[in-house]
mmCIF file of all heavy atoms in Angstrom:
data_model
loop_
_atom_site.group_PDB
_atom_site.id
_atom_site.type_symbol
_atom_site.label_atom_id
_atom_site.label_comp_id
_atom_site.label_asym_id
_atom_site.label_seq_id
_atom_site.Cartn_x
_atom_site.Cartn_y
_atom_site.Cartn_z
ATOM 1 N N SER A 1 0.944 -49.981 -48.316
ATOM 2 C CA SER A 1 -0.333 -49.584 -48.929
ATOM 3 C C SER A 1 -1.200 -50.809 -49.208
ATOM 4 O O SER A 1 -0.692 -51.907 -49.426
ATOM 5 C CB SER A 1 -0.090 -48.837 -50.244
ATOM 6 O OG SER A 1 0.633 -47.650 -50.046
ATOM 7 N N LEU A 2 -2.490 -50.582 -49.214
ATOM 8 C CA LEU A 2 -3.465 -51.581 -49.610
ATOM 9 C C LEU A 2 -4.609 -50.873 -50.319
ATOM 10 O O LEU A 2 -4.883 -49.702 -50.040
ATOM 11 C CB LEU A 2 -4.042 -52.324 -48.405
ATOM 12 C CG LEU A 2 -3.266 -53.452 -47.765
ATOM 13 C CD1 LEU A 2 -4.023 -53.959 -46.530
ATOM 14 C CD2 LEU A 2 -3.012 -54.584 -48.731
ATOM 15 N N ARG A 3 -5.286 -51.605 -51.185
ATOM 16 C CA ARG A 3 -6.515 -51.086 -51.770
ATOM 17 C C ARG A 3 -7.644 -52.076 -51.491
ATOM 18 O O ARG A 3 -7.578 -53.236 -51.907
ATOM 19 C CB ARG A 3 -6.396 -50.856 -53.275
ATOM 20 C CG ARG A 3 -7.630 -50.136 -53.827
ATOM 21 C CD ARG A 3 -7.532 -49.800 -55.300
ATOM 22 N NE ARG A 3 -7.852 -50.933 -56.152
ATOM 23 C CZ ARG A 3 -8.265 -50.825 -57.400
ATOM 24 N NH1 ARG A 3 -8.413 -49.618 -57.940
ATOM 25 N NH2 ARG A 3 -8.501 -51.897 -58.121
ATOM 26 N N LEU A 4 -8.649 -51.584 -50.792
ATOM 27 C CA LEU A 4 -9.840 -52.383 -50.535
ATOM 28 C C LEU A 4 -10.872 -52.126 -51.626
ATOM 29 O O LEU A 4 -10.973 -51.017 -52.143
ATOM 30 C CB LEU A 4 -10.443 -52.032 -49.175
ATOM 31 C CG LEU A 4 -9.519 -52.134 -47.964
ATOM 32 C CD1 LEU A 4 -10.306 -51.826 -46.688
ATOM 33 C CD2 LEU A 4 -8.862 -53.491 -47.885
ATOM 34 N N SER A 5 -11.615 -53.166 -51.924
ATOM 35 C CA SER A 5 -12.704 -53.056 -52.888
ATOM 36 C C SER A 5 -13.990 -53.539 -52.245
ATOM 37 O O SER A 5 -13.973 -54.381 -51.343
ATOM 38 C CB SER A 5 -12.426 -53.904 -54.133
ATOM 39 O OG SER A 5 -11.232 -53.520 -54.763
ATOM 40 N N CYS A 6 -15.088 -53.010 -52.737
ATOM 41 C CA CYS A 6 -16.397 -53.443 -52.271
ATOM 42 C C CYS A 6 -17.316 -53.478 -53.484
ATOM 43 O O CYS A 6 -17.562 -52.436 -54.106
ATOM 44 C CB CYS A 6 -16.933 -52.501 -51.206
ATOM 45 S SG CYS A 6 -18.622 -52.857 -50.695
ATOM 46 N N ALA A 7 -17.797 -54.652 -53.799
ATOM 47 C CA ALA A 7 -18.625 -54.826 -54.986
ATOM 48 C C ALA A 7 -20.044 -55.227 -54.604
ATOM 49 O O ALA A 7 -20.282 -55.763 -53.523
ATOM 50 C CB ALA A 7 -18.013 -55.890 -55.897
ATOM 51 N N ALA A 8 -20.954 -54.953 -55.508
ATOM 52 C CA ALA A 8 -22.355 -55.342 -55.344
ATOM 53 C C ALA A 8 -22.750 -56.180 -56.556
ATOM 54 O O ALA A 8 -23.313 -55.658 -57.521
ATOM 55 C CB ALA A 8 -23.252 -54.122 -55.220
ATOM 56 N N PRO A 9 -22.466 -57.463 -56.513
ATOM 57 C CA PRO A 9 -22.721 -58.317 -57.675
ATOM 58 C C PRO A 9 -24.177 -58.272 -58.128
ATOM 59 O O PRO A 9 -25.091 -58.417 -57.321
ATOM 60 C CB PRO A 9 -22.361 -59.713 -57.152
ATOM 61 C CG PRO A 9 -21.407 -59.465 -56.035
ATOM 62 C CD PRO A 9 -21.868 -58.189 -55.405
ATOM 63 N N GLY A 10 -24.363 -57.993 -59.419
ATOM 64 C CA GLY A 10 -25.706 -57.999 -59.977
ATOM 65 C C GLY A 10 -26.541 -56.800 -59.621
ATOM 66 O O GLY A 10 -27.754 -56.793 -59.862
ATOM 67 N N ARG A 11 -25.911 -55.779 -59.080
ATOM 68 C CA ARG A 11 -26.658 -54.625 -58.596
ATOM 69 C C ARG A 11 -25.929 -53.354 -58.977
ATOM 70 O O ARG A 11 -24.709 -53.313 -58.917
ATOM 71 C CB ARG A 11 -26.769 -54.693 -57.078
ATOM 72 C CG ARG A 11 -27.652 -53.650 -56.450
ATOM 73 C CD ARG A 11 -29.048 -54.151 -56.313
ATOM 74 N NE ARG A 11 -29.937 -53.160 -55.749
ATOM 75 C CZ ARG A 11 -31.117 -53.433 -55.232
ATOM 76 N NH1 ARG A 11 -31.531 -54.688 -55.189
ATOM 77 N NH2 ARG A 11 -31.902 -52.493 -54.771
ATOM 78 N N THR A 12 -26.649 -52.326 -59.371
ATOM 79 C CA THR A 12 -26.006 -51.047 -59.622
ATOM 80 C C THR A 12 -25.987 -50.224 -58.346
ATOM 81 O O THR A 12 -26.948 -50.229 -57.576
ATOM 82 C CB THR A 12 -26.726 -50.281 -60.742
ATOM 83 O OG1 THR A 12 -26.058 -49.025 -60.937
ATOM 84 C CG2 THR A 12 -28.180 -50.013 -60.387
ATOM 85 N N LEU A 13 -24.886 -49.550 -58.111
ATOM 86 C CA LEU A 13 -24.747 -48.724 -56.915
ATOM 87 C C LEU A 13 -24.854 -47.237 -57.219
ATOM 88 O O LEU A 13 -24.597 -46.411 -56.345
ATOM 89 C CB LEU A 13 -23.401 -48.999 -56.239
ATOM 90 C CG LEU A 13 -23.243 -50.374 -55.585
ATOM 91 C CD1 LEU A 13 -21.835 -50.520 -55.025
ATOM 92 C CD2 LEU A 13 -24.264 -50.578 -54.484
ATOM 93 N N SER A 14 -25.241 -46.890 -58.416
ATOM 94 C CA SER A 14 -25.215 -45.488 -58.821
ATOM 95 C C SER A 14 -26.187 -44.606 -58.039
ATOM 96 O O SER A 14 -26.030 -43.399 -58.000
ATOM 97 C CB SER A 14 -25.504 -45.368 -60.319
ATOM 98 O OG SER A 14 -26.773 -45.931 -60.629
ATOM 99 N N SER A 15 -27.177 -45.210 -57.387
ATOM 100 C CA SER A 15 -28.157 -44.428 -56.623
ATOM 101 C C SER A 15 -27.855 -44.418 -55.130
ATOM 102 O O SER A 15 -28.668 -43.940 -54.338
ATOM 103 C CB SER A 15 -29.567 -45.005 -56.828
ATOM 104 O OG SER A 15 -29.952 -44.913 -58.178
ATOM 105 N N TYR A 16 -26.688 -44.912 -54.762
ATOM 106 C CA TYR A 16 -26.372 -45.092 -53.351
ATOM 107 C C TYR A 16 -25.209 -44.224 -52.906
ATOM 108 O O TYR A 16 -24.178 -44.140 -53.593
ATOM 109 C CB TYR A 16 -26.019 -46.554 -53.067
ATOM 110 C CG TYR A 16 -27.192 -47.494 -53.214
ATOM 111 C CD1 TYR A 16 -27.593 -47.939 -54.463
ATOM 112 C CD2 TYR A 16 -27.889 -47.929 -52.089
ATOM 113 C CE1 TYR A 16 -28.671 -48.784 -54.596
ATOM 114 C CE2 TYR A 16 -28.966 -48.787 -52.218
ATOM 115 C CZ TYR A 16 -29.352 -49.212 -53.482
ATOM 116 O OH TYR A 16 -30.423 -50.056 -53.607
ATOM 117 N N GLY A 17 -25.396 -43.582 -51.746
ATOM 118 C CA GLY A 17 -24.249 -43.046 -51.047
ATOM 119 C C GLY A 17 -23.512 -44.206 -50.394
ATOM 120 O O GLY A 17 -24.138 -45.151 -49.907
ATOM 121 N N LEU A 18 -22.197 -44.126 -50.358
ATOM 122 C CA LEU A 18 -21.383 -45.257 -49.915
ATOM 123 C C LEU A 18 -20.362 -44.821 -48.880
ATOM 124 O O LEU A 18 -19.902 -43.672 -48.898
ATOM 125 C CB LEU A 18 -20.667 -45.866 -51.126
ATOM 126 C CG LEU A 18 -21.576 -46.336 -52.265
ATOM 127 C CD1 LEU A 18 -20.757 -46.619 -53.515
ATOM 128 C CD2 LEU A 18 -22.375 -47.547 -51.852
ATOM 129 N N GLY A 19 -20.012 -45.746 -48.025
ATOM 130 C CA GLY A 19 -19.047 -45.413 -46.998
ATOM 131 C C GLY A 19 -18.189 -46.593 -46.592
ATOM 132 O O GLY A 19 -18.501 -47.749 -46.908
ATOM 133 N N TRP A 20 -17.098 -46.274 -45.931
ATOM 134 C CA TRP A 20 -16.224 -47.278 -45.311
ATOM 135 C C TRP A 20 -16.143 -47.000 -43.811
ATOM 136 O O TRP A 20 -15.996 -45.844 -43.396
ATOM 137 C CB TRP A 20 -14.812 -47.210 -45.889
ATOM 138 C CG TRP A 20 -14.666 -47.780 -47.259
ATOM 139 C CD1 TRP A 20 -14.659 -47.091 -48.444
ATOM 140 C CD2 TRP A 20 -14.488 -49.155 -47.611
ATOM 141 N NE1 TRP A 20 -14.489 -47.954 -49.503
ATOM 142 C CE2 TRP A 20 -14.377 -49.226 -49.009
ATOM 143 C CE3 TRP A 20 -14.406 -50.343 -46.874
ATOM 144 C CZ2 TRP A 20 -14.196 -50.430 -49.683
ATOM 145 C CZ3 TRP A 20 -14.223 -51.532 -47.529
ATOM 146 C CH2 TRP A 20 -14.127 -51.577 -48.938
ATOM 147 N N PHE A 21 -16.244 -48.062 -43.042
ATOM 148 C CA PHE A 21 -16.098 -48.000 -41.596
ATOM 149 C C PHE A 21 -15.088 -49.062 -41.186
ATOM 150 O O PHE A 21 -14.758 -49.964 -41.964
ATOM 151 C CB PHE A 21 -17.447 -48.271 -40.910
ATOM 152 C CG PHE A 21 -18.443 -47.156 -41.066
ATOM 153 C CD1 PHE A 21 -19.085 -46.939 -42.276
ATOM 154 C CD2 PHE A 21 -18.742 -46.313 -40.007
ATOM 155 C CE1 PHE A 21 -20.003 -45.908 -42.438
ATOM 156 C CE2 PHE A 21 -19.661 -45.284 -40.146
ATOM 157 C CZ PHE A 21 -20.278 -45.081 -41.363
ATOM 158 N N ARG A 22 -14.625 -48.974 -39.970
ATOM 159 C CA ARG A 22 -13.735 -50.001 -39.448
ATOM 160 C C ARG A 22 -14.038 -50.253 -37.988
ATOM 161 O O ARG A 22 -14.608 -49.395 -37.299
ATOM 162 C CB ARG A 22 -12.271 -49.607 -39.641
ATOM 163 C CG ARG A 22 -11.829 -48.387 -38.864
ATOM 164 C CD ARG A 22 -10.407 -47.992 -39.283
ATOM 165 N NE ARG A 22 -9.916 -46.844 -38.522
ATOM 166 C CZ ARG A 22 -8.772 -46.227 -38.786
ATOM 167 N NH1 ARG A 22 -7.994 -46.645 -39.797
ATOM 168 N NH2 ARG A 22 -8.399 -45.205 -38.051
ATOM 169 N N GLN A 23 -13.640 -51.441 -37.545
ATOM 170 C CA GLN A 23 -13.935 -51.831 -36.171
ATOM 171 C C GLN A 23 -12.861 -52.766 -35.656
ATOM 172 O O GLN A 23 -12.427 -53.688 -36.347
ATOM 173 C CB GLN A 23 -15.303 -52.514 -36.099
ATOM 174 C CG GLN A 23 -15.807 -52.766 -34.710
ATOM 175 C CD GLN A 23 -17.241 -53.256 -34.694
ATOM 176 O OE1 GLN A 23 -17.720 -53.848 -35.654
ATOM 177 N NE2 GLN A 23 -17.939 -53.018 -33.600
ATOM 178 N N VAL A 24 -12.460 -52.508 -34.416
ATOM 179 C CA VAL A 24 -11.578 -53.431 -33.705
ATOM 180 C C VAL A 24 -12.387 -54.057 -32.590
ATOM 181 O O VAL A 24 -13.344 -53.462 -32.087
ATOM 182 C CB VAL A 24 -10.322 -52.712 -33.158
ATOM 183 C CG1 VAL A 24 -9.504 -52.149 -34.304
ATOM 184 C CG2 VAL A 24 -10.701 -51.598 -32.196
ATOM 185 N N PRO A 25 -12.016 -55.261 -32.180
ATOM 186 C CA PRO A 25 -12.788 -55.946 -31.139
ATOM 187 C C PRO A 25 -12.901 -55.105 -29.873
ATOM 188 O O PRO A 25 -11.929 -54.498 -29.417
ATOM 189 C CB PRO A 25 -11.975 -57.212 -30.891
ATOM 190 C CG PRO A 25 -11.268 -57.472 -32.176
ATOM 191 C CD PRO A 25 -10.942 -56.112 -32.721
ATOM 192 N N GLY A 26 -14.119 -55.034 -29.349
ATOM 193 C CA GLY A 26 -14.346 -54.315 -28.113
ATOM 194 C C GLY A 26 -14.602 -52.830 -28.277
ATOM 195 O O GLY A 26 -14.844 -52.128 -27.294
ATOM 196 N N LYS A 27 -14.543 -52.358 -29.515
ATOM 197 C CA LYS A 27 -14.779 -50.933 -29.766
ATOM 198 C C LYS A 27 -15.916 -50.746 -30.768
ATOM 199 O O LYS A 27 -16.260 -51.648 -31.514
ATOM 200 C CB LYS A 27 -13.510 -50.262 -30.286
ATOM 201 C CG LYS A 27 -12.396 -50.165 -29.259
ATOM 202 C CD LYS A 27 -11.278 -49.275 -29.756
ATOM 203 C CE LYS A 27 -10.217 -49.089 -28.699
ATOM 204 N NZ LYS A 27 -9.121 -48.193 -29.152
ATOM 205 N N ALA A 28 -16.461 -49.539 -30.754
ATOM 206 C CA ALA A 28 -17.550 -49.226 -31.670
ATOM 207 C C ALA A 28 -17.029 -49.113 -33.103
ATOM 208 O O ALA A 28 -15.840 -48.859 -33.330
ATOM 209 C CB ALA A 28 -18.209 -47.915 -31.258
ATOM 210 N N ARG A 29 -17.932 -49.318 -34.039
ATOM 211 C CA ARG A 29 -17.577 -49.152 -35.444
ATOM 212 C C ARG A 29 -17.267 -47.681 -35.702
ATOM 213 O O ARG A 29 -18.000 -46.791 -35.271
ATOM 214 C CB ARG A 29 -18.734 -49.636 -36.326
ATOM 215 C CG ARG A 29 -18.354 -49.881 -37.749
ATOM 216 C CD ARG A 29 -19.404 -50.712 -38.453
ATOM 217 N NE ARG A 29 -19.425 -52.091 -37.972
ATOM 218 C CZ ARG A 29 -20.142 -53.051 -38.527
ATOM 219 N NH1 ARG A 29 -20.920 -52.775 -39.579
ATOM 220 N NH2 ARG A 29 -20.115 -54.270 -38.042
ATOM 221 N N GLU A 30 -16.212 -47.442 -36.447
ATOM 222 C CA GLU A 30 -15.680 -46.089 -36.625
ATOM 223 C C GLU A 30 -15.765 -45.662 -38.086
ATOM 224 O O GLU A 30 -15.393 -46.428 -38.986
ATOM 225 C CB GLU A 30 -14.213 -46.081 -36.168
ATOM 226 C CG GLU A 30 -13.468 -44.789 -36.398
ATOM 227 C CD GLU A 30 -11.975 -44.935 -36.128
ATOM 228 O OE1 GLU A 30 -11.452 -46.066 -36.253
ATOM 229 O OE2 GLU A 30 -11.338 -43.925 -35.809
ATOM 230 N N PHE A 31 -16.232 -44.451 -38.309
ATOM 231 C CA PHE A 31 -16.288 -43.898 -39.657
ATOM 232 C C PHE A 31 -14.877 -43.715 -40.217
ATOM 233 O O PHE A 31 -13.977 -43.239 -39.515
ATOM 234 C CB PHE A 31 -17.011 -42.557 -39.627
ATOM 235 C CG PHE A 31 -16.910 -41.764 -40.904
ATOM 236 C CD1 PHE A 31 -17.637 -42.147 -42.024
ATOM 237 C CD2 PHE A 31 -16.088 -40.655 -40.990
ATOM 238 C CE1 PHE A 31 -17.546 -41.429 -43.203
ATOM 239 C CE2 PHE A 31 -15.990 -39.924 -42.160
ATOM 240 C CZ PHE A 31 -16.720 -40.313 -43.275
ATOM 241 N N VAL A 32 -14.704 -44.068 -41.487
ATOM 242 C CA VAL A 32 -13.424 -43.885 -42.159
ATOM 243 C C VAL A 32 -13.563 -42.884 -43.317
ATOM 244 O O VAL A 32 -12.851 -41.898 -43.381
ATOM 245 C CB VAL A 32 -12.886 -45.226 -42.696
ATOM 246 C CG1 VAL A 32 -11.608 -45.008 -43.505
ATOM 247 C CG2 VAL A 32 -12.636 -46.196 -41.549
ATOM 248 N N ALA A 33 -14.479 -43.176 -44.227
ATOM 249 C CA ALA A 33 -14.632 -42.321 -45.409
ATOM 250 C C ALA A 33 -15.998 -42.551 -46.023
ATOM 251 O O ALA A 33 -16.605 -43.607 -45.832
ATOM 252 C CB ALA A 33 -13.540 -42.622 -46.430
#
């Protein structure tokens, strides 16, 4: 298991929809969540 974090220093994210994507070399960026 791993837990990834994504922060926005100095900024509130409460008005934003957020997502995670992933990419391997040579392939398109892929939706995760």
Side-chain angles (χ1 to χ4, degrees):
S1 298
L2 280 176
R3 188 176 81 157
L4 305 183
S5 301
C6 174
R11 187 92 182 197
T12 179
L13 291 177
S14 59
S15 297
Y16 292 80
L18 303 167
W20 285 98
F21 289 74
R22 65 187 182 187
Q23 189 172 26
V24 297
K27 292 190 176 181
R29 197 164 290 188
E30 175 189 26
F31 169 74
V32 175

